[in-house]
Amino acid sequence: MDKINSFSEYQEQYKKSVDNPDAFWSEQASTFLWKKKWDRVLDWEFKTPSVNWFINGKLNITENCLDRHLDTKADKTAIIWEPNNPDEKHKEITYKELHEKVCRFSNVLKANGAKKGDRICLYMPMVPELAIATLACARIGAIHSVVFAGFSAKALSDRINDADCNILVTSDGLYRGKKQMCLKDIVDDALQTCPTINSCIVLQRTGQQITMKDGRDSWWHEEDELVNSICDAEIMDSEDPLFVLYTSGSTGKPKGVQHHCGGYMVYAEYSFRNVFQYNEDDVYWCTADIGWITGHTYIVYGPLLAGSTTIMFEGVPTYPDAGRFWEVCEKFKVNLFYTAPTAIRALQVYGTEFIDKYDLSSLKTLGSVGEPINEEAWDWYYKNIGKENCWIVDTWWQTETGGIMISPLAHITKMKPTFAALPLPGIQPCLVDPDGKEILGNDVQGNLCIKYPWPSMIRTTYGDHERCKQVYFSTYPGMYFTGDGCRRDEDGFYRITGRVDDVINVSGHRMGTAEVENGINEHSRVVESAVVGFPHEIKGQGIYAYVILEDINAASDNLRKEILSTITKEIGPIAKPDKIQFVSGLPKTRSGKIMRRILRKVAEGDTSSLGDTSTLLDPSIVAEIIEGKV
Ligand code: WTA
């Protein structure tokens, strides 16, 4: 399939996608392998909401990722896997081998009773088997729910139970930098409260001692020996679910964002090819983890659909030293590189010594995702990594959008540091004022909404459609609300300014303040807490927690440590507050609502303009919090 080749072609395609979306998407979708073509392109309304793409089309996404490449690309490398430890040998898996491995594991899942529509949880390190298991679920029509392997037992069991998963795939342990962790111990703990799990399939990665439960647990390699490598792909409807992926919102527990087969497939490949301007022999590396949406769409599905070579990296940017990313770029002659601003900022601190050692001349396009990229990090990336020769694509999107929504197209769209630039064809963003009125024209600012469906949009939140409606489609009726604030400058370029709700973005990880508060409140001495984000040099945002204790005299550093370990147990280390301030009360309005605006200002260290505090039940609490005495 062709790419957009010039800015005028982008404008032409964009216009076509708005004037006649059905014709536009029909053309895009027709490049895939369908078992049966769709009857209609799109039916939709945003009230319920009900969105159906490629109606009555039949397909299997893995036939498009694998089988259809076998004629021409059987021996091409599909996945390069780089282990955590640079002394361990990397692996290269061809399309033919990947196809075979996926078919085998599909048969393992079937032998464990899996069938179409079942939910299967994957809790694994960044090893090829994670991609294989993901694709195997899709091949048999089971819905995968990948849970990032940094989440705690509690967070894992919550996600398993919310989706009633019946199979869990995991590993004995994992390596991350200098650390080795026992995943299976966490799993054993989690499964004590997961009655729906019948089988747990365990990959051997670290070889460490673990316990296997009779009748429930089995080894991946032993199961693999019992099956063959022939597995026809299940025929799926376009609107059959492909996966759920849990993500945090303003309120309550994380919700399972659900994506469906047909539309997700079309958009994953379309956006990958155009944003990165992927060429046939490009080597592509996205440093994300498959536990997040970026890994789903731009490590597994998008690149494999496009028939590219995609790198999976098990480690971290600073192990064994801060040159690791660049060493890997040199080693595999990476052309397209995609990472998060938090990684860039973390590496910036080490200077250029670790970059200069490596030949980065293969790089052409540098991507950024997950949070706003500050100008300093943008410049550093552009100069030191791209040597002023590469295009930077600052890609804005969300778990719910399934794919990149607003981004420059590499080597095509003019770059403006910190701007995500322009919507992809088919994407109709708009800015709205607090009353929900669309703000027209340029040089304006508002809340970012999308007013027309796109193929990879969220269809529902698992098991709770009402929640999907409330969170995304009720704030501004008739539109999808992103939760982000945004500026559109005089050229019509979009700059995302950050979340306008109670979601914070810590090192590119999305977290609900309510979720962190609930975790902190689990500590027996905590009565109540309020969490806000504050600007953090490396992480983008840090977590600031105000905590009320049963007995304020118990406040101590030791108690702080205990609270950190409670939150690690409840959610995982990524949710640990950077700062805990013990307070005797919180600034609440007479109706009991916490005035977070004030807490944010104090956390930022800016107490000069707290605004109107006259509606507070007890205004004196503000002074106490500012003094931070207690
Ligand atoms: C933020 C990650 C600014 C935004 C793919 C969004 C960004 C949230 C950018 C979604 C960007 C993502 N510039 N902000 N280029 N990309 N965000 O669901 O606040 O983990 O709403 O998806 O990250 O995070 P999520």
Side-chain angles (χ1 to χ4, degrees):
M1 182 64 199
D2 284 348
K3 298 190 295 287
I4 293 169
N5 276 312
S6 63
F7 193 67
S8 59
E9 201 182 320
Y10 159 74
Q11 288 173 312
E12 218 172 88
Q13 292 281 312
Y14 189 81
K15 185 168 183 320
K16 183 171 173 189
S17 78
V18 174
D19 292 347
N20 193 345
D22 283 15
F24 176 80
W25 287 115
S26 185
E27 207 176 290
Q28 300 307 325
S30 61
T31 61
F32 294 87
L33 191 67
W34 296 82
K35 294 281 192 198
K36 176 186 163 295
K37 205 187 156 185
W38 54 94
D39 298 334
R40 285 191 314 288
V41 175
L42 171 66
D43 277 347
W44 71 286
E45 48 87 2
F46 276 177
K47 200 165 176 311
T48 310
S50 165
V51 175
N52 294 280
W53 280 92
F54 308 114
I55 294 141
N56 291 329
K58 307 287 176 203
L59 75 150
N60 187 290
I61 194 168
T62 70
E63 285 195 326
N64 284 278
C65 288
L66 303 169
D67 304 57
R68 76 170 166 149
H69 299 316
L70 295 183
D71 278 351
T72 53
K73 299 190 178 79
D75 297 323
K76 177 173 177 174
T77 304
I79 295 178
I80 297 176
W81 173 71
E82 172 70 14
N84 178 61
N85 182 346
D87 297 332
E88 187 179 340
K89 198 166 161 21
H90 75 271
K91 285 184 187 160
E92 296 188 13
I93 303 170
T94 65
Y95 272 93
K96 187 160 149 256
E97 289 163 344
L98 185 60
H99 177 263
E100 192 198 313
K101 287 174 194 289
V102 169
C103 287
R104 291 189 83 89
F105 197 66
S106 299
N107 286 332
V108 168
L109 291 175
K110 281 188 188 168
N112 278 271
K115 44 186 198 326
K116 180 174 177 178
D118 285 356
R119 277 79 53 211
I120 296 181
C121 180
L122 312 179
Y123 182 67
M124 297 177 76
M126 276 291 286
V127 289
E129 287 79 1
L130 173 53
I132 291 164
T134 302
L135 292 164
C137 290
R139 192 152 184 100
I140 64 167
I143 302 167
H144 54 76
S145 169
V146 184
V147 177
F148 173 60
F151 278 119
S152 69
K154 175 79 172 27
L156 173 62
S157 74
D158 281 352
R159 285 159 175 76
I160 290 173
N161 290 332
D162 188 76
D164 290 334
C165 297
N166 53 358
I167 297 178
L168 173 65
V169 187
T170 188
S171 70
D172 47 359
L174 65 70
Y175 300 114
R176 195 174 280 145
K178 280 190 222 124
K179 287 188 219 139
Q180 178 174 337
M181 266 170 51
C182 187
L183 274 196
K184 184 60 169 48
D185 280 356
I186 299 174
V187 162
D188 289 342
D189 193 5
L191 292 190
Q192 287 186 11
T193 51
C194 298
T196 54
I197 295 284
N198 305 317
S199 317
C200 174
I201 303 166
V202 187
L203 177 81
Q204 196 164 44
R205 169 64 188 119
T206 54
Q208 65 199 97
Q209 266 291 312
I210 56 165
T211 44
M212 297 288 275
K213 186 171 167 187
D214 259 2
R216 185 193 72 189
D217 302 347
S218 61
W219 286 106
W220 177 305
H221 57 273
E222 287 178 5
E223 294 271 331
D224 196 64
E225 278 173 17
L226 306 175
V227 296
N228 66 30
S229 59
I230 298 161
C231 178
D232 286 343
E234 187 77 29
I235 298 176
M236 307 296 283
D237 189 89
S238 286
E239 287 296 341
D240 277 335
L242 173 64
F243 66 84
V244 291
L245 181 58
Y246 283 81
T247 193
S248 301
S250 305
T251 54
K253 287 192 170 176
K255 46 195 180 290
V257 171
Q258 189 169 309
H259 285 288
H260 289 187
C261 295
Y264 177 82
M265 170 179 78
V266 171
Y267 199 77
E269 198 267 354
Y270 175 79
S271 53
F272 171 74
R273 177 167 28 92
N274 283 293
V275 169
F276 294 97
Q277 287 288 301
Y278 164 72
N279 283 323
E280 180 61 38
D281 290 320
D282 284 343
V283 175
Y284 164 83
W285 181 19
C286 167
T287 68
D289 190 290
I290 295 177
W292 313 113
I293 190 69
T294 306
H296 280 60
T297 311
Y298 299 112
I299 294 178
V300 181
Y301 288 114
L304 295 177
L305 285 164
S308 80
T309 298
T310 175
I311 299 181
M312 276 181 79
F313 176 47
E314 188 185 28
V316 296
T318 49
Y319 178 80
D321 62 41
R324 190 69 193 278
F325 273 4
W326 323 125
E327 181 215 334
V328 175
C329 282
E330 178 186 86
K331 181 169 171 189
F332 300 116
K333 300 196 168 44
V334 172
N335 306 110
L336 318 173
F337 179 73
Y338 195 23
T339 196
T342 192
I344 298 167
R345 287 189 299 261
L347 295 176
Q348 216 177 325
V349 176
Y350 294 88
T352 54
E353 173 199 345
F354 289 100
I355 307 167
D356 297 341
K357 285 198 249 177
Y358 301 103
D359 175 8
L360 298 181
S361 60
S362 57
L363 289 172
K364 294 191 294 194
T365 298
L366 304 174
S368 170
V369 62
E371 47 178 319
I373 180 165
N374 49 309
E375 189 143 4
E376 207 191 334
W378 196 101
D379 284 341
W380 188 87
Y381 200 24
Y382 184 67
K383 289 200 182 96
N384 296 296
I385 308 306
K387 320 287 183 199
E388 303 190 13
N389 266 325
C390 294
W391 223 262
I392 294 201
V393 290
D394 177 1
T395 64
W396 174 81
W397 59 297
Q398 311 178 293
T399 305
E400 295 85 345
T401 69
I404 297 168
M405 302 287 279
I406 304 183
S407 169
L409 305 183
H411 311 279
I412 289 179
T413 315
K414 187 172 94 179
M415 283 184 282
K416 267 193 195 182
T418 76
F419 277 75
L422 296 171
L424 264 63
I427 306 305
Q428 299 188 32
C430 66
L431 303 184
V432 294
D433 68 16
D435 301 325
K437 225 172 114 245
E438 183 171 354
I439 306 169
L440 299 169
N442 286 341
D443 202 7
V444 289
Q445 183 147 354
N447 284 350
L448 180 63
C449 291
I450 316 287
K451 57 183 179 184
Y452 195 83
W454 64 101
S456 63
M457 70 183 289
I458 178 175
R459 296 300 194 273
T460 190
T461 42
Y462 189 86
D464 191 353
H465 194 65
E466 182 59 25
R467 188 158 177 206
C468 173
K469 175 180 173 169
Q470 285 306 326
V471 174
Y472 307 106
F473 296 91
S474 299
T475 316
Y476 303 111
M479 295 181 203
Y480 166 83
F481 176 42
T482 64
D484 280 312
C486 182
R487 188 162 101 73
R488 187 167 54 220
D489 77 356
E490 54 291 351
D491 298 327
F493 274 45
Y494 289 83
R495 178 179 202 264
I496 312 299
T497 49
R499 301 289 302 199
V500 293
D501 54 8
D502 290 324
V503 171
I504 48 178
N505 201 326
V506 182
S507 301
H509 300 320
R510 206 171 132 171
M511 245 168 287
T513 51
E515 197 187 339
V516 182
E517 286 161 9
N518 291 339
I520 294 173
N521 298 350
E522 284 301 310
H523 191 285
S524 59
R525 308 194 82 153
V526 172
V527 175
E528 197 184 355
S529 60
V531 163
V532 295
F534 71 100
H536 187 288
E537 242 176 64
I538 308 269
K539 299 177 176 184
Q541 276 188 302
I543 304 178
Y544 197 116
Y546 298 88
V547 176
I548 303 178
L549 297 174
E550 237 170 35
D551 172 10
I552 193 85
N553 295 317
S556 69
D557 278 346
N558 220 12
L559 190 55
R560 278 197 179 84
K561 279 193 201 128
E562 280 183 29
I563 291 173
L564 293 183
S565 87
T566 302
I567 197 83
T568 304
K569 202 162 137 260
E570 291 294 314
I571 304 177
I574 54 175
K576 281 201 286 195
D578 298 274
K579 188 143 194 328
I580 295 175
Q581 182 179 346
F582 295 115
V583 293
S584 67
L586 292 166
K588 286 189 182 171
T589 60
R590 285 188 195 99
S591 58
K593 211 171 162 253
I594 298 172
M595 238 190 228
R596 284 172 191 276
R597 175 171 57 81
I598 294 177
L599 297 178
R600 272 188 222 112
K601 286 273 184 198
V602 176
E604 274 169 33
D606 169 16
T607 50
S608 57
S609 55
L610 289 179
D612 183 13
T613 55
S614 61
T615 56
L616 287 179
L617 190 61
D618 174 12
S620 71
I621 200 71
V622 177
E624 180 209 299
I625 289 175
I626 291 174
E627 279 174 34
K629 270 196 183 143
V630 191

